[in-house]
């Protein structure tokens, strides 16, 4: 056999050896579907596996992670949002295929739009001003996610040219967009830290939001407004297991979809490797334990580093906390819709603490979490007044507010979609299929 042929066979062997092996079992546990992943160990592999499951809005009730030398084994107990096992074959096949290719990564694909990254000091009405600028510059918003935490805001907005529907590639226009948005973010007192840029990365959207807020050092800042979720504490402890050379991280928080993703994402981006982990849910509380080391194999080495890990993990959990009343907007998309809706919020004293914007088949399907100007629950009469102005049939709300978390798949209060339909919706959002129907 020629040398080149030997090399080809060796490469094929390496691929076969390192490709994750996935087993999905519905028989071993009476209450959940068990997903097992065996893989060659590499930095970030756990995050990629968790990302696949949480992108489908699956609930991870239990998990076990163990690294043995160069090999990694993950076991996840998952259910749908109704607490049921996974029975849809299209969902199971999608999970098998996705987890079997996690080595190659699966970033969000918005290649047909221009991605804008914004960070700065949050204030009442800021989002209204941002969307007004984009509308004025003939930019239509295809997708957007906005997080606020400790008085800071981070947003990843995907825009297209309103006239052509194409990606914005005019360098001069992009410069104008960046400058106008930067002026809005600066306001009167944020000259140094306000940032606007066109993102060239294809990183997973929510991971990128974590990275942006981490770079903005939101974990070191004090909240400006009173939180409405003070009854749901986040407890993080970090200790060193000297005999084995690990640092042991424990996180206790209100259980919710994507809790594990948020914690693992932060540990990964801080440069830590998870060697062993257990995740358990008791009642409405999630208990997560991680045995970690630096990439060079050393544990946490100082008190300052230990405190930094605690602050960063607390921030990672709280960033996604859905504070306030959840408002769901579903209506025909049009130029300036977001500017008009968020201006109405501002004029009625509502502050947007988090937002998720998407457009499907020319229909805007948006979710906003709002509080009053002091960060307290918004008055029901004001909410009803805003609904009347925007349209009672278009804007709906849920009195339980942020406690709904990610569980409403239907943007306009429709019944929960089947998980098979949810997969198609997520594939559409990720840009992997052209039609969601």
């Amino acid at each position: 056999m020629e040398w080149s042929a030997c090399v080809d066979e060796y490469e094929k062997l390496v691929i076969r050896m390192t490709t994750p092996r996935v087993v999905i079992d519905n028989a071993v546990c009476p209450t959940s579907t068990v997903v097992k992943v065996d893989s060659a160990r590499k930095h970030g592999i756990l995050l990629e596996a968790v990302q696949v499951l949480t992108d489908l809005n699956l609930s991870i009730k239990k998990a076990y992670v163990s690294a043995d030398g160069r090999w990694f084994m993950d076991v996840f107990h998952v259910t749908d949002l109704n607490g049921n096992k996974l029975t849809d074959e299209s969902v199971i096949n999608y999970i098998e295929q996705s987890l079997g290719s996690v080595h190659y990564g699966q970033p969000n694909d918005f290649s047909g739009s221009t991605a804008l990254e914004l960070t700065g000091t949050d204030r009442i009405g800021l989002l209204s001003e941002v969307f007004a600028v984009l509308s004025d510059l003939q930019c239509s918003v295809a997708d957007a996610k906005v997080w606020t935490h400790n008085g800071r805001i981070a947003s990843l907005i995907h825009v297209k040219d309103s006239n052509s529907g194409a990606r914005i590639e005019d360098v001069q226009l992009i410069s104008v967009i960046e400058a106008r948005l930067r002026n809005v973010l600066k306001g009167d007192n944020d000259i140094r830290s306000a940032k606007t840029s066109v993102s060239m990365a294809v990183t997973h959207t929510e991971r990128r939001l974590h990275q942006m807020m981490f770079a903005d050092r939101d974990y070191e800042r004090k909240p400006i407004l009173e939180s409405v979720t003070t009854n749901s504490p986040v407890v993080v402890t970090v200790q060193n297991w000297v005999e084995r050379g690990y640092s042991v991280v424990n996180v206790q928080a209100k259980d919710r979809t994507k809790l594990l993703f948020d914690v693992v994402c932060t540990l990964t981006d801080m440069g830590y490797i998870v060697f062993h982990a257990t995740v358990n849910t008791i009642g409405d509380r999630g208990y997560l334990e991680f045995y970690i080391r630096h990439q060079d194999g050393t544990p946490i080495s100082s008190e300052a580093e230990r405190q930094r890990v605690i602050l960063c993990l607390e921030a990672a959990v709280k960033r996604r906390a859905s504070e306030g009343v959840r408002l769901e907007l579903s209506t025909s998309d049009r130029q300036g819709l977001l500017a008009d809706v968020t201006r109405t919020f501002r004029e009625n004293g509502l502050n947007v603490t988090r937002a998720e914007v998407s457009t499907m088949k020319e229909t805007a399907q948006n979710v906003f979490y709002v509080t009053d100007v002091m960060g307290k629950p918004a008055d029901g009469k004001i909410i009803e007044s805003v609904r009347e102005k925007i349209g009672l049939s278009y804007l709906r709300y849920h009195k339980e507010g942020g406690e709904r978390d990610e569980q409403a798949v239907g943007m306009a209060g429709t019944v929960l979609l089947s998980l098979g339909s949810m997969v198609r919706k997520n594939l559409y959002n990720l840009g992997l299929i052209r039609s969601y129907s």
Side-chain angles (χ1 to χ4, degrees):
M1 183 180 293
E2 296 181 1
W3 175 248
S4 59
C6 291
V7 172
D8 289 341
E9 290 302 316
Y10 177 75
E11 290 179 349
K12 292 178 182 177
L13 176 62
V14 171
I15 291 173
R16 287 197 298 270
M17 290 179 62
T18 58
T19 297
R21 293 197 293 268
V22 182
V23 176
I24 298 180
D25 192 331
N26 261 322
V28 69
C29 179
T31 58
S32 61
T33 298
V34 177
V35 180
K36 301 177 182 178
V37 184
D38 292 323
S39 169
R41 182 165 59 83
K42 75 161 190 174
H43 185 55
I45 190 71
L46 174 60
L47 174 59
E48 293 177 27
V50 172
Q51 181 179 302
V52 168
L53 299 175
T54 55
D55 277 349
L56 290 173
N57 276 343
L58 299 180
S59 179
I60 301 175
K61 294 300 182 183
K62 292 182 180 180
Y64 309 94
V65 176
S66 181
D68 182 10
R70 295 181 178 274
W71 205 250
F72 214 55
M73 182 183 73
D74 305 333
V75 179
F76 304 99
H77 290 242
V78 303
T79 66
D80 64 19
L81 293 178
N82 283 332
N84 301 319
K85 289 185 177 183
L86 312 184
T87 57
D88 191 310
E89 286 300 322
S90 66
V91 176
I92 293 174
N93 291 336
Y94 173 76
I95 293 173
E96 289 176 337
Q97 294 173 11
S98 299
L99 289 175
S101 60
V102 291
H103 273 298
Y104 307 103
Q106 295 182 336
N108 287 352
D109 182 9
F110 293 97
S111 56
S113 61
T114 302
L116 303 173
E117 295 183 355
L118 316 177
T119 56
T121 299
D122 187 30
R123 66 176 186 274
I124 306 297
L126 175 58
L127 203 56
S128 170
E129 296 177 42
V130 167
F131 287 138
V133 166
L134 292 175
S135 177
D136 185 56
L137 293 174
Q138 298 300 302
C139 298
S140 63
V141 178
D143 184 274
K145 279 188 168 61
V146 181
W147 288 359
T148 63
H149 180 240
N150 282 354
R152 306 300 295 172
I153 185 171
S155 179
L156 192 56
I157 305 175
H158 294 265
V159 298
K160 298 181 179 181
D161 182 278
S162 297
N163 299 315
S164 66
R167 179 177 183 173
I168 301 172
E169 296 182 338
D170 186 315
V171 176
Q172 186 173 1
L173 177 56
I174 289 175
S175 296
V176 172
I177 294 172
E178 288 182 316
R180 289 275 301 273
L181 290 176
R182 194 175 301 113
N183 285 335
V184 168
L185 289 167
K186 285 179 180 178
D188 297 325
N189 57 3
D190 197 15
I191 297 176
R192 294 184 178 179
S193 61
K195 296 180 181 178
T196 305
S197 63
V198 173
S199 174
M200 307 308 294
V202 288
T203 307
H204 184 271
T205 298
E206 294 178 348
R207 182 178 183 183
R208 184 61 190 144
L209 285 170
H210 275 301
Q211 292 172 343
M212 290 165 63
M213 297 211 95
F214 176 76
D216 194 47
R217 305 176 78 89
D218 68 316
Y219 55 88
E220 293 182 340
R221 303 173 188 271
K222 299 297 182 182
I224 296 175
L225 300 178
E226 179 182 343
S227 172
V228 298
T229 56
T230 53
N231 60 345
S232 182
V234 178
V235 180
V236 180
T237 61
V238 179
Q239 297 176 319
N240 277 346
W241 188 10
V242 179
E243 294 83 359
R244 295 297 181 89
Y246 289 112
S247 294
V248 184
V249 176
N250 281 277
V251 179
Q252 297 182 26
K254 179 178 175 59
D255 184 43
R256 58 167 172 76
T257 307
K258 301 188 179 181
L259 174 62
L260 179 59
F261 171 84
D262 293 338
V263 175
V264 173
C265 179
T266 300
L267 289 172
T268 302
D269 285 335
M270 292 181 73
Y272 296 106
I273 296 176
V274 176
F275 285 85
H276 307 282
T278 58
V279 175
N280 198 13
T281 303
I282 301 177
D284 66 347
R285 298 288 290 177
Y287 299 85
L288 297 76
E289 183 176 64
F290 303 89
Y291 290 75
I292 65 171
R293 291 172 178 161
H294 289 105
Q295 294 187 47
D296 64 4
T298 60
I300 292 172
S301 59
S302 68
E303 178 61 20
E305 182 185 1
R306 190 180 76 87
Q307 291 297 328
R308 184 169 181 263
V309 170
I310 292 174
L311 289 175
C312 289
L313 291 179
E314 287 178 347
V317 174
K318 292 178 180 178
R319 285 173 195 144
R320 198 193 292 272
S322 305
E323 299 182 353
V325 174
R326 177 185 173 109
L327 299 176
E328 300 173 350
L329 175 70
S330 181
T331 185
S332 298
D333 193 28
R334 60 173 173 81
Q335 180 65 15
L337 173 66
L338 287 170
D340 292 343
V341 170
T342 51
R343 185 184 66 247
T344 302
F345 291 163
R346 181 192 67 200
E347 291 173 347
N348 287 270
L350 298 181
N351 182 46
V352 178
T353 62
R354 188 158 75 90
E356 298 181 13
V357 174
S358 63
T359 304
M360 296 182 184
K361 293 185 176 180
E362 299 182 352
T363 298
Q365 297 185 331
N366 308 329
V367 174
F368 305 94
Y369 291 88
V370 299
T371 67
D372 68 11
V373 294
M374 299 303 294
K376 297 180 180 179
D379 185 274
K381 294 181 180 179
I382 295 178
I383 294 293
E384 284 303 314
S385 175
V386 168
R387 290 186 63 219
E388 290 176 359
K389 293 174 182 177
I390 294 176
L392 292 174
S393 61
Y394 301 140
L395 187 67
R396 302 188 180 188
Y397 83 106
H398 302 271
K399 294 180 181 179
E400 62 268 35
E403 298 303 315
R404 283 176 55 88
D405 191 47
E406 305 289 340
Q407 297 184 9
V409 178
M411 292 294 185
T414 56
V415 295
L416 189 69
L417 298 175
S418 72
L419 202 53
S421 177
M422 190 191 302
V423 170
R424 291 189 291 274
K425 177 181 177 182
N426 279 277
L427 291 175
Y428 180 89
N429 285 338
L430 294 170
L432 300 179
I433 60 174
R434 294 185 177 181
S435 175
Y436 165 51
S437 59

